[in-house]
Amino acid sequence: MIKLAIVGYGNLGRGVESAVHQNPDMELVAVFTRRDPSSIKLADPSIPVLPLSSIESYADKVDVVILCGGSATDLPVMTPGLAEKFNVVDSFDNHSRIPEHIANVARAAKSGGNTAAVSCGWDPGMFSLARVYAEAALPQGQTYTFWGPGISQGHSDAIRRIEGVQDARQYTIPVEEALEQVRSGVNPQLSTRQKHLRQCWVVAKEGADLARIEREIKEMPGYFADYDTTVNFISQEELKDKHMKMRHGGFVIRSGKTAQGDSHTIEYSLKLESNPQFTSSILVACARAVVRMHRRGEVGCFTLPEIRPCDLMVQELDEIHAHFI
Amino acid sequence: MIKLAIVGYGNLGRGVESAVHQNPDMELVAVFTRRDPSSIKLADPSIPVLPLSSIESYADKVDVVILCGGSATDLPVMTPGLAEKFNVVDSFDNHSRIPEHIANVARAAKSGGNTAAVSCGWDPGMFSLARVYAEAALPQGQTYTFWGPGISQGHSDAIRRIEGVQDARQYTIPVEEALEQVRSGVNPQLSTRQKHLRQCWVVAKEGADLARIEREIKEMPGYFADYDTTVNFISQEELKDKHMKMRHGGFVIRSGKTAQGDSHTIEYSLKLESNPQFTSSILVACARAVVRMHRRGEVGCFTLPEIRPCDLMVQELDEIHAHFI
């Protein structure tokens, strides 16, 4: 059995807790938190919830720690910090800072003789793999990544900061025509606006100036100004009814030509009813790989393209050879 | 530079020859054949074409041999035979015999201290990876593989053996409704007939009994009897004009639920204008991985799920971290 600990008990931590039940070789031994442990109720009350400050006392009781914090401020500090003492897995997803994060975690993991896997979600994660395999199979071509339809937490937060807004959800939606153009193999140059739409569902406070809110959303630089954005005002009840699921997904499409001029298109897509639940499931598979790699003496920091696919699987190699190849 | 040799100069061998040009770290040093070498003209006449019987004299001149023979009779003998002396790659695609092939090649590779990768195409190959990753990410669910639209060589050959048939091409076509059902996440039970159609384009000899040919095709056990099959008689010119491209492709779709009941669908698909050209491109990427693994002392026989994705890439890890994760 692989002994897991979770650090951080938000959506992702809860997802990992439940994902363990779908993996018969995994056992959750503790949840660590910076909050008051007594404020957290696990589905299984026999598993201890402990203050993060006490985690080092678990060094001999845990094979791998899954970090379920945020990429903005938690993981850049916590993953290198814990990698000195534990094998660790995270879903760090700030793309522009991934090389720096890898370097920091690698240094810590090597100094502690541990194994780490970072950026283990779907993007980065499964989409990184899709981009790598597509490039390897078709060295000449172009790869496109589209996100959605799905809720963007960052964009929803940005709307909620506008004066007069009570609540909001923002969907990122790939433009169907752009997808079709990419699939056709013409390798189009696509602007930001041509790739994705932004659809906003906004609950305004009573008496708020709706026209101003709509204008402020549509003109917000970095978030909305470069996109075709629609703004819909709805009631809090409708928002709760229709827009609470953290659906997401997207597409990685590469089209290119082999050396005699034949065209090929490779497409990988995800349609997820719950972004954090799916990410959690991948984190658990990566935790398995990390433990196996550590047992083989593979020390350092790895991303999914550096991990042998079979190490993610509970199935033995014989079964993979017989049923999956 | 990685020094490659090709064994077998059919569609796949020609594909590998041209794919080398898309891979700047690869160099083709020789082509080996069981035919009369003087009957073979390479695109680059400076590369020697040699009898297969002389291949052992190249043991020190070649990093890896790509075997481009057929899976029915060539590869079961040739891959283990050559793995004693060389690092080897093949695209063995007889699914039911893959475990046996792996065992034979592993024995030979280990006895010679070499590294082999087998079943390196798109199915088996890229589709095996899609099945493995989807299972690891979603342990509870069901995976479906659909093939086509594309030409099946075996089924085309079967039609050509019927009396009165001059030439023929057979397309395997996934049933659109079945694809949609699978994508919807209902995990349907699908019969052979519900998954694929078979479409036949037949050139009859002058005076042949068309009704009998059509009946013989549709009733052929193993090949057509379990499918909805359409038979179209056309001229040799039309066949040459419209049905000579070896197009193929297909879909691997897994849908399943994470532990709190949310549904997710993972889809991987390929649309290939030339089946052998795409397979060749994958063989070359796998040859790169085999040489790297051999240099690290990883001896034995491997399939794509046992190969680290980054080993397939010409790009260095730093570049992968910066641009692909």
Side-chain angles (χ1 to χ4, degrees):
Chain A
M1 292 295 276
I2 292 172
K3 292 182 169 53
L4 280 185
I6 291 171
V7 170
Y9 196 71
N11 285 326
L12 219 48
R14 276 193 295 276
V16 170
E17 181 194 12
S18 59
V20 167
H21 299 299
Q22 294 191 329
N23 291 274
D25 56 338
M26 298 276 173
E27 184 188 352
L28 178 61
V29 299
V31 172
F32 295 92
T33 178
R34 288 172 298 187
R35 289 186 273 163
D36 172 8
S38 70
S39 70
I40 290 175
K41 298 275 165 274
L42 303 192
D44 177 352
S46 73
I47 294 164
V49 182
L50 302 164
L52 180 56
S53 55
S54 71
I55 194 168
E56 293 206 7
S57 68
Y58 268 68
D60 296 336
K61 297 174 195 152
V62 161
D63 295 312
V64 56
V65 174
I66 301 185
L67 285 88
C68 298
S71 295
T73 56
D74 297 338
L75 300 177
V77 177
M78 293 171 79
T79 313
L82 287 171
E84 294 239 15
K85 304 284 178 186
F86 294 92
N87 297 318
V88 295
V89 180
D90 79 17
S91 60
F92 184 79
D93 67 359
N94 184 342
H95 282 265
S96 66
R97 299 187 60 187
I98 285 173
E100 177 190 342
H101 188 61
I102 292 170
N104 292 339
V105 177
R107 205 176 303 118
K110 284 176 188 165
S111 99
N114 293 316
T115 307
V118 299
S119 300
C120 301
W122 59 272
D123 193 4
M126 291 293 140
F127 274 18
S128 320
L129 290 167
R131 289 186 284 261
V132 161
Y133 281 119
E135 178 94 14
L138 273 184
Q140 282 175 27
Q142 200 166 332
T143 301
Y144 299 80
T145 302
F146 292 87
W147 297 276
I151 290 209
S152 159
Q153 211 53 58
H155 287 77
S156 302
D157 289 345
I159 300 172
R160 283 191 287 259
R161 286 192 294 265
I162 294 174
E163 197 190 312
V165 171
Q166 177 173 309
D167 205 349
R169 293 290 180 285
Q170 191 269 177
Y171 291 87
T172 304
I173 301 172
V175 175
E176 197 56 48
E177 284 164 30
L179 280 171
E180 287 310 320
Q181 255 195 301
V182 167
R183 287 182 182 126
S184 78
V186 298
N187 286 349
Q189 291 296 326
L190 295 170
S191 67
T192 299
R193 190 179 300 274
Q194 287 170 317
K195 285 184 74 185
H196 296 96
L197 302 173
R198 298 204 175 275
Q199 193 184 74
C200 311
W201 301 89
V202 181
V203 182
K205 289 181 183 159
E206 221 179 293
D209 178 350
L210 304 189
R212 176 190 50 79
I213 291 173
E214 178 164 346
R215 200 173 56 240
E216 282 194 33
I217 293 173
K218 289 185 170 175
E219 293 175 356
M220 198 185 297
Y223 285 86
F224 295 99
D226 296 336
Y227 297 85
D228 288 337
T229 300
T230 58
V231 176
N232 308 279
F233 290 96
I234 56 173
S235 68
Q236 186 75 58
E237 292 67 43
E238 191 177 345
L239 192 86
K240 279 233 161 78
D241 274 4
K242 298 185 182 160
H243 304 290
M244 290 305 282
K245 276 275 183 195
M246 282 173 286
R247 293 179 200 280
H248 221 309
F251 304 81
V252 174
I253 307 174
R254 182 173 181 82
S255 85
K257 288 186 196 292
T258 42
Q260 292 178 13
D262 295 299
S263 295
H264 312 279
T265 303
I266 302 171
E267 178 165 344
Y268 180 78
S269 69
L270 294 172
K271 206 172 78 189
L272 311 174
E273 204 174 23
S274 164
N275 183 350
Q277 286 280 318
F278 189 71
T279 301
S280 303
S281 192
I282 294 168
L283 281 166
V284 171
C286 291
R288 174 183 296 120
V290 158
V291 172
R292 290 180 180 173
M293 291 165 77
H294 187 251
R295 287 174 182 165
R296 289 197 300 262
E298 297 173 37
V299 161
C301 178
F302 303 88
T303 58
L304 271 161
E306 296 152 80
I307 294 174
R308 303 193 317 160
C310 59
D311 280 334
L312 302 168
M313 300 271 281
V314 67
Q315 289 85 349
E316 301 288 332
L317 259 189
D318 280 358
E319 197 180 337
I320 295 174
H321 289 161
H323 300 299
F324 291 87
I325 306 296
Chain B
M1 292 295 276
I2 292 172
K3 292 181 168 55
L4 281 184
I6 292 170
V7 169
Y9 196 72
N11 285 326
L12 219 49
R14 275 192 296 276
V16 170
E17 182 194 12
S18 59
V20 167
H21 299 297
Q22 294 190 330
N23 292 274
D25 56 338
M26 298 276 174
E27 184 188 352
L28 178 61
V29 300
V31 172
F32 295 92
T33 178
R34 288 172 299 188
R35 290 185 273 163
D36 173 7
S38 69
S39 70
I40 290 174
K41 297 277 166 271
L42 303 191
D44 177 351
S46 73
I47 294 165
V49 182
L50 302 164
L52 181 55
S53 55
S54 71
I55 194 168
E56 294 206 8
S57 68
Y58 268 68
D60 297 335
K61 297 173 196 155
V62 162
D63 295 311
V64 54
V65 175
I66 300 184
L67 285 89
C68 299
S71 295
T73 55
D74 297 339
L75 300 177
V77 178
M78 292 171 81
T79 313
L82 286 170
E84 294 240 13
K85 304 286 180 186
F86 294 92
N87 297 319
V88 294
V89 180
D90 79 18
S91 59
F92 184 79
D93 67 359
N94 183 343
H95 282 265
S96 66
R97 298 188 62 189
I98 285 174
E100 175 190 342
H101 188 60
I102 292 171
N104 292 338
V105 176
R107 205 175 302 118
K110 284 175 188 167
S111 100
N114 293 317
T115 308
V118 299
S119 300
C120 301
W122 58 273
D123 194 3
M126 291 293 138
F127 274 19
S128 319
L129 290 167
R131 289 185 284 261
V132 161
Y133 281 119
E135 179 94 14
L138 273 183
Q140 282 174 27
Q142 199 165 332
T143 301
Y144 298 81
T145 303
F146 292 87
W147 297 276
I151 291 208
S152 159
Q153 211 53 58
H155 287 77
S156 301
D157 289 345
I159 300 172
R160 284 191 286 260
R161 286 192 294 265
I162 293 174
E163 197 189 313
V165 171
Q166 178 174 308
D167 205 348
R169 294 290 180 282
Q170 193 269 178
Y171 292 87
T172 304
I173 301 173
V175 174
E176 197 57 46
E177 285 164 30
L179 280 171
E180 288 310 320
Q181 254 195 301
V182 166
R183 286 182 183 128
S184 78
V186 299
N187 286 349
Q189 290 296 326
L190 296 170
S191 67
T192 299
R193 188 179 302 273
Q194 286 170 317
K195 285 184 74 184
H196 295 96
L197 303 172
R198 299 205 174 275
Q199 192 183 72
C200 310
W201 301 90
V202 181
V203 182
K205 289 181 183 159
E206 221 178 293
D209 177 348
L210 304 189
R212 176 191 50 80
I213 291 173
E214 178 163 346
R215 200 173 56 240
E216 283 193 35
I217 294 173
K218 289 185 170 177
E219 294 175 356
M220 197 184 298
Y223 286 86
F224 295 99
D226 296 336
Y227 296 86
D228 289 337
T229 300
T230 57
V231 176
N232 308 279
F233 291 96
I234 56 174
S235 68
Q236 187 73 57
E237 291 67 42
E238 193 178 343
L239 192 86
K240 279 231 160 78
D241 274 5
K242 299 185 183 162
H243 304 291
M244 291 305 281
K245 276 275 182 194
M246 281 172 287
R247 293 180 200 280
H248 221 309
F251 304 82
V252 174
I253 306 173
R254 181 171 183 82
S255 86
K257 287 186 197 293
T258 42
Q260 292 178 11
D262 294 299
S263 295
H264 311 279
T265 303
I266 302 171
E267 177 165 345
Y268 180 79
S269 69
L270 294 171
K271 206 172 78 189
L272 311 174
E273 203 173 26
S274 165
N275 182 351
Q277 286 280 320
F278 188 71
T279 300
S280 303
S281 193
I282 294 168
L283 281 165
V284 171
C286 291
R288 174 182 297 121
V290 159
V291 171
R292 291 179 180 176
M293 291 165 77
H294 187 253
R295 287 175 182 164
R296 291 197 300 262
E298 297 173 37
V299 161
C301 178
F302 303 88
T303 57
L304 271 161
E306 296 152 78
I307 294 174
R308 303 193 318 160
C310 59
D311 280 335
L312 302 168
M313 300 270 282
V314 68
Q315 288 85 349
E316 301 289 332
L317 259 189
D318 280 357
E319 196 179 338
I320 295 174
H321 290 162
H323 301 299
F324 291 87
I325 305 298

